[in-house]
Amino acid sequence: MSLLSVVVPCYNEEENVPFFYEALLKNQVFFDDNKIDLEILYIDDGSVDGTAAEVRRLREKDERVHLVSFSRNFGKEAAMFAGLENARGDYIVLMDVDLQDPPSLLPEMFSYMEQGYDSVATRRVSRKGEPPVRSFFARMFYKLMKRISRTEIMDGARDYRLMTRQMVDAILAMKEYNRFTKGIFGWVGFRTRWLEYENVERARGETKWNFWKLFLYSMDGITAFSTVPLMLASVMGVFFCIVAFLMIVFIIVRKLIFGDPVSGWPSLVCIILMTSGVQFFCTGILGQYLAKTYMEVKRRPIYLVKEQF
Ligand code: UDP
Ligand code: MG
């Protein structure tokens, strides 16, 4: 027998918890045929509704259900980390509770594991049902990341992923506080098979990500997996030096040939405004990295547990 740990982050998802359980167990015949034992870890990310109560109710009839309940909302990244830390399985799969990660894909994912892959990851090829502005910025983000980071981060990649114990141990060895799992998966390497599927809309309830949250998350992604923005300051510095040099040459030559009627304080104001703007911008970038470093050296725990079984 091998053990499969299903890690499910939940934040205010009381209506989805039992439906997810049912949908997952539609695979029971497959699990039995392939001698796969199951444990289901619901990670309650500080929900204020009846999410934990729903999980307790499931536990009464099924011993395989587990709960890790946070003391407050720590975010999905922390929930996934807690799930991976508490999973005991030989195989571990991360899934959303809202059924956007269809459990019906599991048999196919396992078939690839048997071919020797360390991980089977999923990506959605369409984004239908999502606000167009959000899709646009998501695409831009992945394009940018491709250019400025050496870690592979796949456009449309979900966190829905089946992994071996070995790969999960590698992920757990990365103890960073600012977690960007989509990058961590790529960073640890291992043989990954990508599975594509059409976007599925959320079963019940509302998405927990608004535009601002996603924007901050993308900043986390950039600072965690690229230092190219830091180089921007040096590049701009060199650029402005060259421009200044050309202007000096131009002014000297003009003085020698035509003499110099004094003029040009408006242009001076423009130049000062422009360069000080660039300086603030670069200091801002430095500040972003410094802030992340500050949070990192504090070594705060990634999550705090209130209740667990
Ligand atoms: N989630 C979480 N903590 C949060 C936000 C979300 O654990 O702070 C969970 C949520 O319950 C769901 C998954 O992460 O299982 C994905 O969230 P959601 O469906 O809202 O995101 P979307 O699919 O719209 O990107
Ligand atoms: Mg969702």
Side-chain angles (χ1 to χ4, degrees), residues 139-157:
R139 288 233 163 76
M140 295 269 288
F141 170 74
Y142 286 108
K143 278 212 181 102
L144 180 70
M145 281 309 266
K146 206 169 230 145
R147 285 176 168 265
I148 64 173
S149 175
R150 267 192 266 164
T151 305
E152 186 197 32
I153 295 168
M154 193 70 102
D155 185 3

Side-chain angles (χ1 to χ4, degrees), residues 12-74:
N12 294 339
E13 305 271 12
E14 59 181 1
E15 68 255 82
N16 281 317
V17 166
F19 285 101
F20 175 84
Y21 176 81
E22 270 163 37
L24 181 68
L25 290 194
K26 290 213 176 101
N27 290 316
Q28 191 59 56
V29 178
F30 167 79
F31 293 142
D32 290 341
D33 289 350
N34 288 275
K35 300 209 169 6
I36 297 168
D37 264 339
L38 207 61
E39 66 168 0
I40 310 169
L41 289 98
Y42 285 100
I43 316 296
D44 165 24
D45 184 9
S47 304
V48 289
D49 66 353
T51 300
E54 285 294 333
V55 178
R56 266 180 238 120
R57 193 166 307 148
L58 286 178
R59 169 67 173 218
E60 274 163 25
K61 56 176 190 183
D62 193 340
E63 285 276 296
R64 297 173 297 178
V65 173
H66 298 269
L67 172 75
V68 178
S69 200
F70 289 177
S71 60
R72 65 166 170 87
N73 179 244
F74 279 87

Side-chain angles (χ1 to χ4, degrees), residues 5-217:
S5 304
V6 184
V7 171
V8 205
C10 314
Y11 178 44
N12 294 339
E13 305 271 12
E14 59 181 1
E15 68 255 82
N16 281 317
V17 166
F19 285 101
F20 175 84
Y21 176 81
E22 270 163 37
L24 181 68
L25 290 194
K26 290 213 176 101
N27 290 316
Q28 191 59 56
V29 178
F30 167 79
F31 293 142
D32 290 341
D33 289 350
N34 288 275
K35 300 209 169 6
I36 297 168
D37 264 339
L38 207 61
E39 66 168 0
I40 310 169
L41 289 98
Y42 285 100
I43 316 296
D44 165 24
D45 184 9
S47 304
V48 289
D49 66 353
T51 300
E54 285 294 333
V55 178
R56 266 180 238 120
R57 193 166 307 148
L58 286 178
R59 169 67 173 218
E60 274 163 25
K61 56 176 190 183
D62 193 340
E63 285 276 296
R64 297 173 297 178
V65 173
H66 298 269
L67 172 75
V68 178
S69 200
F70 289 177
S71 60
R72 65 166 170 87
N73 179 244
F74 279 87
K76 189 187 177 190
E77 287 293 336
M80 289 193 288
F81 184 73
L84 296 182
E85 264 195 334
N86 287 288
R88 295 172 300 120
D90 309 296
Y91 298 100
I92 293 101
V93 65
L94 287 169
M95 291 171 102
D96 284 1
V97 73
D98 60 6
L99 297 178
Q100 281 191 296
D101 300 334
S104 54
L105 288 179
L106 275 173
E108 195 185 347
M109 289 167 92
F110 262 102
S111 73
Y112 290 123
M113 295 300 260
E114 270 155 29
Q115 292 173 20
Y117 286 99
D118 301 299
S119 152
V120 182
T122 59
R123 66 185 280 261
R124 41 185 188 174
V125 282
S126 68
R127 284 178 173 272
K128 72 171 185 289
E130 198 184 59
V133 186
R134 195 168 144 175
S135 300
F136 173 75
F137 279 102
R139 288 233 163 76
M140 295 269 288
F141 170 74
Y142 286 108
K143 278 212 181 102
L144 180 70
M145 281 309 266
K146 206 169 230 145
R147 285 176 168 265
I148 64 173
S149 175
R150 267 192 266 164
T151 305
E152 186 197 32
I153 295 168
M154 193 70 102
D155 185 3
R158 307 265 322 159
D159 294 322
Y160 184 18
R161 196 183 267 258
L162 178 63
M163 292 169 280
T164 57
R165 166 63 28 198
Q166 191 189 21
M167 181 163 171
V168 169
D169 285 341
I171 291 168
L172 289 175
M174 298 177 76
K175 298 272 183 230
E176 59 210 74
Y177 180 81
N178 296 293
R179 300 191 74 78
F180 186 71
T181 305
K182 285 182 171 57
I184 292 178
F185 288 145
W187 194 90
V188 295
F190 295 98
R191 276 189 75 204
T192 299
R193 163 83 205 209
W194 286 91
L195 225 158
E196 298 185 342
Y197 70 99
E198 291 283 322
N199 190 28
V200 183
E201 287 190 42
R202 167 180 261 281
R204 284 167 196 77
E206 293 268 298
T207 174
K208 307 294 179 295
W209 296 85
N210 56 33
F211 191 79
W212 181 240
K213 253 180 142 179
L214 276 174
F215 176 74
L216 292 180
Y217 186 55

